Amino acid sequence: MKLIPYPDAEKPCGFHTDDPAALYLYAKKGAVEPPEEFQAVYLAARRGSGSQTTIKFRDLEFMAPALFGEPRPSKVTNSNWTGDAYKFAIYRNTNKYGPPIVILRTDGGGFYAYAIRDLCDIELWELLTAQLPHERLWDLCMELTRTYECGIEDGRTEITTAFLDGSLKKKKVRGQESYRVVIERN
């Protein structure tokens, strides 16, 4: 994948992907060259394996856009939701040492990257991207990434609540200098 300077800017202030999804990335102020790599969080990472990885843009091969499509009725309110603020694209990572699938997302908050290593094999993603319409891929990407975001938020809330309750305790593990947080609730 290549990043192309955003065409509406007199001076480069951002880039977009060179594929049908055309995901937008803001550039650092004064940046003329696009970034070469980015950080992606692992979805369903194994314990102890690290929660992030560095991926090079050049290693990504476009599989499919995951775009919202036409406005749809909201399941919560009586209005139509457009969903245009969130754009996804699914990529194959050609670096054999990296996660095989990468989902990129752009929205009003910026650029987000999710790496899929443990959930399933590449053949399933090839089938999904070949068979599902872009709107259903958008639904799938939104569910996966929202599940991750909600899990992070739930964990943060639990730790914050335990801290405020005074129920966080440090515990030495096997006599080593590393410590584990033990949540003790009454």
Side-chain angles (χ1 to χ4, degrees):
M1 173 214 298
K2 292 181 182 175
L3 295 175
I4 299 169
Y6 198 71
D8 293 341
E10 290 179 18
K11 295 180 182 176
C13 65
F15 302 88
H16 66 87
T17 60
D18 67 341
D19 52 51
L23 300 180
Y24 186 82
L25 289 85
Y26 290 103
K28 292 181 181 178
K29 190 173 184 172
V32 177
E33 295 297 319
E36 294 182 7
E37 60 188 26
F38 59 92
Q39 292 293 309
V41 296
Y42 281 114
L43 297 179
R46 294 181 197 125
R47 289 182 181 212
S49 64
S51 61
Q52 290 191 349
T53 184
T54 301
I55 298 174
K56 296 191 180 304
F57 281 105
R58 70 170 185 249
D59 292 337
L60 297 183
E61 181 180 288
F62 181 75
M63 292 178 76
L67 305 174
F68 188 81
E70 294 296 317
R72 306 181 208 169
S74 171
K75 297 196 183 335
V76 180
T77 67
N78 289 331
S79 62
N80 280 343
W81 188 39
T82 63
D84 290 337
Y86 294 88
K87 290 174 67 175
F88 295 94
I90 302 167
Y91 299 87
R92 175 185 294 111
N93 187 358
T94 61
N95 181 335
K96 67 180 181 178
Y97 299 109
I101 298 294
V102 176
I103 297 174
L104 300 183
R105 177 183 104 200
T106 58
D107 63 36
F111 171 81
Y112 304 88
Y114 303 90
I116 298 178
R117 174 182 56 197
D118 301 328
L119 296 177
C120 49
D121 60 16
I122 188 78
E123 288 81 17
L124 175 61
W125 284 95
E126 289 171 345
L127 179 69
L128 289 171
T129 56
Q131 301 274 329
L132 290 177
H134 302 162
E135 296 84 359
R136 297 292 73 89
L137 289 172
W138 186 93
D139 293 341
L140 177 63
C141 290
M142 184 60 112
E143 288 294 328
L144 282 172
T145 59
R146 283 297 298 144
T147 299
Y148 170 82
E149 300 293 338
C150 288
I152 294 295
E153 186 58 35
D154 288 350
R156 186 180 356 255
T157 299
E158 184 174 350
I159 295 296
T160 302
T161 301
F163 174 76
L164 293 173
D165 288 349
S167 58
L168 284 179
K169 306 292 180 195
K170 287 185 180 178
K171 183 178 180 183
K172 211 169 199 179
V173 179
R174 290 185 223 105
Q176 298 294 320
E177 289 297 317
S178 61
Y179 291 85
R180 180 182 308 175
V181 177
V182 179
I183 300 174
E184 297 175 355
R185 300 225 186 249
N186 294 333

